[in-house]
Amino acid sequence: MSLTTFLQQCLTGISLGGAYALIAIGYTMVYGILRLINFAHGDIFMMAGYFMIFAMASMPWFIAVPFVLLVTTVLGVGIERVAYKPLRSAPRMSVMISAIGVSYLLQNLATYLFTALPMAYPEIPGLKKIFKIGGLSASFVTFFTPVLTIVLVYLLITLIHHTKMGMAMRAVSKDYETAALMGIDINRTISFTFAIGSLLAAIGSILYFTDRMTVFPFSGSLPGLKCFVAAVFGGIGSIPGAVVGGFVLGMGETALVAAGYSTFSDAFTFVVLIIILLVRPTGLFGEKTTNKV
Amino acid sequence: MNEVKENVLKMENVVMQFGGVTAIDGLSLEVNRGEIVALIGPNGAGKTTAFNCITGIYQPTSGVVSFKGENLKGKSPDCITRLGIARTFQNIRLFSNLTVFDNVLIAKHLRAHDNVFTATLRLNLKEEDRMRRETEKLLREQDLYELKDEIASSLPYGLQRRLEIARALATSPELLLLDEPAAGMNPQETQELTDFIVKIRDQYHLTVFMIEHHMDLVMQISERIYVLNFGKLIAQGSSEEIQNNPEVIEAYLGGSEDA
Amino acid sequence: MLKVDNLKINYGGIEAVKGISFEVPDQSIVTLIGANGAGKSSTLRAIAGLVKASGGSISFDGEDITSLPTAKRVAKGITLCPEGRHVFPDMTVLENIKIGAYLRNDSLEEDIQRVYKLFPRLEERHWQLAGTLSGGEQQMLAVARGLMSNPKILMLDEPSLGLAPIIVQEIFNIIKRINQEQGITVLLIEQNANMALKVADRAYVMETGSITMTGTGAELLANDEIQAAYLGRKK
Amino acid sequence: GSSSSGSAASGAAASKSASGDKVIKIGVFEPTTGENGGGGFQEALGIRYANQTHKTVKIGDDEYTIELVEVDNKSDKTEAVNAANKLMGEKVSGVIGSYGSGVSIAAGQIFADAKVPAVGASCTNPQVTEGNDYYFRVCFLDPFQGTVMANYAMQNGYKTAAVLTQLGDDYSSGLGSFFKTAFTNLGGTIADEEQFQTNQTDFKAVLTNIKAANPDIIFAPSSITTAPLIIKQARELGITSLIAAGDTWENSTIIENAGDSAEGVVLSTFFDEAEPANDEAKSFIEGFKPYLKDNKQDEIIPAVSALGYDAYLALYNAIEAAQSTDGEKIKDALKDVKFDGVTGSISFDENGDAKKNMAFIKTIEKGQFKFLTTTTIDG
Amino acid sequence: MKYDFSRKKKRDAVLDLLLIAVVLGICGFLEANKYNYSYAISIIERSMIYAVVAVSMNLVNGFTGLFSLGQAGFMALGAYVTAILTIPVSQRPSVYYISGINPLIANLSAPITLALILGGLVAAACAALIGIPVLRLKSDYLAIATLGFAEIIRALIAAPMMDTITNGSYGLKSIPGFSSIFQVLILTVVSIGLMVLLINSSYGRMFKAVREDEIAAEAMGINLFHTKELSFVISSFFAGISGGMLAMFMRSIDSKTFQVSLTYDILLIVVIGGIGSVTGSVLGAFVVTAGRELLRFFDEPLTVAGVSIPLFRPGFRMVIFSILLMVVVLFYSRGLMGTNEFSWDGIFGFFRRKRKAVKAEGR
Ligand SMILES: Nc1ncnc2c1ncn2[C@@H]1O[C@H](COP(=O)(O)OP(=O)(O)OP(=O)(O)O)[C@@H](O)[C@H]1O
Ligand SMILES: Nc1ncnc2c1ncn2[C@@H]1O[C@H](COP(=O)(O)OP(=O)(O)OP(=O)(O)O)[C@@H](O)[C@H]1O
Ligand SMILES: [Mg+2]
Ligand SMILES: [Mg+2]
């Protein structure tokens, strides 16, 4: 493999990893707080893609982008209200099924409304600008994604560990009742968590789809699954973990495909995951559950 | 019973560390057959941890725990139960969604002779029958028979404690470890429990080793008492000796107030 | 200050509390005693808004709070230290203490020092994850956390459970102190009826969902029936 | 995007024929949702249109109304089994479909067991008809298509090729491997072979490898969902090789989504509206364009619609020849039908495959599909 | 279901017999009119197959409390083993027409029942291996690891290196179907019957103990690993059997049939039926499978009095289906059966309550 090809592959790996990381953070946020695998996360991400298509059709990009972020956030919070809130005291499995149900619903709704055919994702000026250095070529998003990811991680960690809202989120994640006894408004905290999670999905969707150019009803399902794996890999609930997980999977996958083992690129994701879990049963940076007898 | 005291449980120089915390620091003690022995000490002294080291939930950092002369090192909790040590937990751990009857019946399985095929194909009806009869008998003896179809978690606290003990008895132990059996009971109930412990000790030829903070109970029935503080043994002896030991009073019992 | 009127609580058809009424006067210590399963905890949970009352009303400072959500009640100054500790296992001791003051916006430093003084063990272990504390340590933490919210009324559900005798005395001393020094009203549930009645200004006895007896602490302490049933003194 | 609400009119006409009339039912076994929902819908349009133009059939002295029974197989094999059984439950005399070979293979046994003949429109995989007496088809096969593209490449001086196929997809893998065989036999070199996973959206890694191999032509048969992704990402990486594929790519969504990058892409197909093969084709083109408009579709006739139309005609002719509504008899008649369809003259070989030896090659130019050439191979 | 059969009331025995007679009667009727009811038969068969795998999933998830999502992978193993062993030797060249068939399996064949059992055994053996490392994991981590293994199994099946055995991307076809609906019925009843016997045996109680509290279970002398492994392996065995049945039902399979979404579907059935209820799983299998089919008319254009209702077009069915699903989950969050099992008392009680409610409203 020539050096150019190698570097090009590295760029690909980094940009894929960055996109995975962004989505994985959203998973980890919601899981960390609600102990809920939000299967609909990938589909919220897909819907954000469609929102952008329609928004850009009728407004300039600098209005469309905030608009899409807002609408996606509202969608996420709305889903929480309708599908998860009534199940606060139900078995965890029911909530998960509800999440799967929402995921089905969004996919089916998208198929119904927008057909199964892919739709072109609009270009946001600047993001798609292609840089060519020697034989290498990469667009602006390729560099922008990892940087933005790191910035967001910093902000989120600050939020969770150094603000009151963050403290409330962590308390709610353990025990609704006791959290309420501390004066924490459970519903507001959870809504807030979903808002952040969906916002991240929306940001992730802009970067991801800009790089991949089309949206179809199942666009969210595979990244959804992979990013969930990335989140588990890093230790679900841990934000730096999700980022590391995202990059490891993105780059590992790229390396494998580049080496000609596409067949195992999906399986690879899981092999890596299982190896990590065997060594560290709660993921790379996962907190050990404290369960004193 | 033997005239020579046969020791059933022996801990020698046991140390248990969690990261920076040394929960038990060189604990040595013995419990002899047929005795009721209490382990007391301030909160966080390492009492529960000692129990966890005995029952295999933790592996001690160093030191030896032996049961009837057999070193328990590396043995898993189920294996230790099989050897004849049963326990209850500080925070009640019943199979909360199962019935009282099933809670006890499950424990009976330990001594059953069957395998998954004979059990599934109902070739073990005799064995199953025997387990059920024994469970019934045990429940009757413990005055729990009327409640046999109740869901365990719906029982009042005191009865849950009693059920937990019954379940432990169902494994046919020689040594019974009780971790704060009277917690959450009012003095009246505590008194009943006191009589109950003596009764089962005699009825099932048990050795009892218990952790307790209710001094009336401890002082009434324990033949010997060990006192632990910061993971170290600070005193041992009879009720009177302990009650009058200044170090124990200072660290644990406090002023004259009755607890 | 707190007034409970004809409170009823249902768990799936089973009536755990059958229309009880009582009052907690300002700056007093009131205790509820009674056998296991009498409905004491349920009553406190209803006051804190954790379970819905199926009938009756609860008012606080003359205001009806029966249908207020828990967080709002806490904001009004009602704090419950729940039965079974319920510390946040994955947070450190210090974080647990701080979260007790979630609704406060003033400086916490002084109060933290105060609870540290009450429970030196907690200061020693402020960095430890609460889930790994011993049972008794967790109990101390739960009480400390409850104090941090600067409540008007502090409800304690069996605070002495599983504590060493010396700490039990300490806890009751603390109860008296916060009541006298800080003027916090206390509503207490205790199995240790003996000590509870000693500190209580007023006591209620609950049996299978109803209040069967009431009086000052001293009155009940002297009562033969109570002695036989709850104080373990036969005769 | 395409919307289908206009189809209500035709559907209603089919399902609500006045009682008392003699009715013969034909099943339309297509995916209208799922991975291949788009293509399946276009194929169904052709069938519905054919049903409008050939509404009744005479059997003996009776005039029978042909009624279409549509089921959605969701591009999913498990769903396909139920959908096929539903059709059998409806007592159809014949079945048309399906877009996507996998579902056709899955349903084939069910049709055969019920002794109901099926005519595939665009399912190009050999397995569909192989060993199944009751399955026929009006399109050419993957081996043929692969060979056609290999011929085209060699004839136009593309000597090295890279093949990019979708794992686990019989259409893509099959076509890729037939292309490979034919291309090497013709003396070309396969410079690189790459595969990708279903639902994969990032092709940069494989494309980077292809770029390094620097082939003259990239043959990348795949679904219309992935096509624009491959095309755009290839161009973004600065790959300038010719990109080619099979019949699935003749779909305007590819042009819409890949935009300028799609320019110059080459593909093989069954039909070209600029080159009507016969009178039937001429009248079809005239009639179908307005029909597409009524259904809010682009007025470019998709090849699969033409094939859907032909499949319907095949069954229609067979029913007329058999003079019966009985599946078994219609099957026997199908073996001998010969008629001029819009995609050329059609008759079936012993396997049930259409005897075709011509394919159209098209390219994308200025955002339009443009006829390039026809290619014939012998035998 | 109770251990003590002698006390079972006469009424229940009569009703049981009646129920069996009705089921046999319906099956007999359908079988006799096979060609008129092929659609109904296919729905029923598929429901039964899903019922088997749903119960097997319930065994690990509901009764043993292990959150396992590997079902699709084990079904795939069962399906491929069954298919490879039962495709008629004469048909094999045409099935493996692209890459040829591995000589090892070219002439290997087995009767259907044996093939199904072997399929189950292969799945079980694989589960035993997987179980050793992963059963240490807890809750969601276990879920994602088992799901991962299922995907790895699927990737291996589809891998080009396996072409001569699994026919890679092209899948297997020409799998012989069921000879009659009774064959499915018997297989289903026997499989579920065995699982019910297991659940109600002393081992079933141990599973439940592990579910309720692992630490307490260990303190009762239950070996956690052995018990979990046992439940996992047995569940996978039956998942393998149902996979084999699915292969026979579909007549052609490929690796895509066994995607994660299949596991989700089964999980859905289990939860909708009620986690920890066998009859719930069976009921769930029928409700979900039949529900999805019965809604088909939503996909067809609807014209009322000459006006076409605009909503009705392809895809609408699945939208409605997902909404119904959400409604069930939201309003029956413990599933249709909760953790209860079917009993005649329950049925009568249900109607009595209904009647009372009606009366109460009437006043
Ligand atoms: N898993 C663990 N990780 C870290 N520290 C632990 C762990 N288990 C116990 N400890 C520490 O070890 C010490 C002893 O705890 P233990 O539970 O044995 O106390 P105890 O004597 O039973 O007290 P109590 O009477 O309050 O129950 C405590 O300080 C506790 O914080
Ligand atoms: N969540 C619940 N679901 C069903 N029943 C409950 C629930 N919580 C409490 N109960 C029942 O309500 C009754 C009263 O319970 P409560 O906890 O209020 O009693 P208590 O007086 O606090 O007893 P203890 O001294 O044991 O704490 C008991 O019979 C108990 O079993
Ligand atoms: Mg302890
Ligand atoms: Mg209580």
Side-chain angles (χ1 to χ4, degrees), chain D residues 105-244:
Chain D
I105 296 170
Q109 275 299 326
I110 293 164
F111 300 150
D113 286 352
K115 301 198 190 321
V116 172
V119 182
S122 67
C123 38
T124 46
N125 191 296
Q127 291 251 50
V128 174
T129 53
E130 173 90 38
N132 188 337
D133 262 1
Y134 289 81
Y135 231 117
F136 298 80
R137 76 176 124 206
V138 294
C139 56
F140 48 60
L141 274 62
D142 290 340
F144 172 78
Q145 199 176 175
T147 316
V148 162
M149 288 313 291
N151 276 352
Y152 172 81
M154 287 309 284
Q155 282 160 17
N156 291 279
Y158 301 102
K159 296 268 183 312
T160 55
V163 180
L164 176 59
T165 56
Q166 178 180 347
L167 276 161
D169 183 88
D170 41 14
Y171 171 78
S172 181
S173 319
L175 200 45
S177 89
F178 294 122
F179 174 86
K180 229 163 51 192
T181 323
F183 195 70
T184 2
N185 285 345
L186 289 169
T189 12
I190 302 290
D192 190 22
E193 264 181 75
E194 297 287 337
Q195 281 147 345
F196 61 90
Q197 295 272 359
T198 308
N199 282 342
Q200 188 170 323
T201 47
D202 196 310
F203 298 93
K204 291 208 191 108
V206 283
L207 288 170
T208 304
N209 280 352
I210 290 178
K211 186 183 177 191
N214 193 22
D216 299 333
I217 176 173
I218 300 171
F219 187 61
S222 55
S223 74
I224 45 178
T225 325
T226 43
L229 299 174
I230 295 176
I231 298 170
K232 278 187 101 166
Q233 291 177 21
R235 296 298 181 231
E236 191 184 311
L237 280 174
I239 297 177
T240 49
S241 322
L242 176 72
I243 301 177

Side-chain angles (χ1 to χ4, degrees), chain E residues 1-17 19-20 196 200 342-345:
Chain E
M1 219 69 95
K2 277 274 152 63
Y3 165 74
D4 198 351
F5 288 105
S6 61
R7 270 201 294 173
K8 201 168 203 175
K9 279 177 264 159
K10 243 190 197 158
R11 181 201 73 188
D12 288 1
V14 172
L15 287 172
D16 283 348
L17 282 178
L19 183 70
I20 294 169
V196 168
N200 291 307
F342 169 85
S343 74
W344 293 109
D345 283 341

Side-chain angles (χ1 to χ4, degrees), chain E residues 122-175:
Chain E
V122 169
C126 188
L129 281 178
I130 293 172
I132 295 171
V134 301
L135 287 177
R136 298 190 306 141
L137 302 175
K138 296 254 161 12
S139 72
D140 298 326
Y141 292 96
L142 174 63
I144 198 78
T146 43
L147 188 144
F149 266 111
E151 282 293 287
I152 293 171
I153 289 173
R154 209 170 65 78
L156 288 177
I157 286 176
M161 309 80 194
M162 296 289 283
D163 271 354
T164 58
I165 295 172
T166 61
N167 210 19
S169 303
Y170 311 99
L172 295 173
K173 65 167 202 165
S174 302
I175 305 164

